[in-house]
Amino acid sequence: MSVAARLLALLVTAYRWLISPLLGVNCRYCPSCSEYAIEALRAHGAVRGGWLAVRRLGRCHPWGGHGYDPVPPAAAERGRS
């Protein structure tokens, strides 16, 4: 993971430890948005992974979707299938 991706993942981890417990379990998706963000940052790096996390947060509202929503595979993995 790049330095920028690690920094973003650290921010998400801080949210998970400090803020998320105060809000309770309200996740509409599996994996949760914070888990999704960390997976996206690991798989795609800071720019694309950050964009995927922001897109996911944008879908997380009462009129949005729900259910299983995995991180899309990285380009290198897509070519192997």
Side-chain angles (χ1 to χ4, degrees):
M1 233 175 16
S2 69
V3 174
R6 285 179 193 250
L7 180 62
L8 291 172
L10 181 65
L11 292 173
V12 173
T13 302
Y15 162 81
R16 290 179 78 181
W17 282 89
L18 301 173
I19 298 170
S20 183
L22 301 173
L23 300 176
V25 180
N26 299 313
C27 299
R28 301 180 57 78
Y29 290 102
C30 180
S32 69
C33 291
S34 57
E35 290 176 65
Y36 183 95
I38 291 173
E39 287 179 32
L41 290 167
R42 283 189 182 135
H44 297 282
V47 176
R48 177 144 169 79
W51 170 246
L52 289 170
V54 168
R55 263 188 47 208
R56 169 69 173 274
L57 289 172
R59 292 191 311 261
C60 193
H61 55 79
W63 302 279
H66 62 280
Y68 183 63
D69 182 26
V71 174
E77 292 178 14
R78 279 183 275 180
R80 293 183 199 158
S81 300

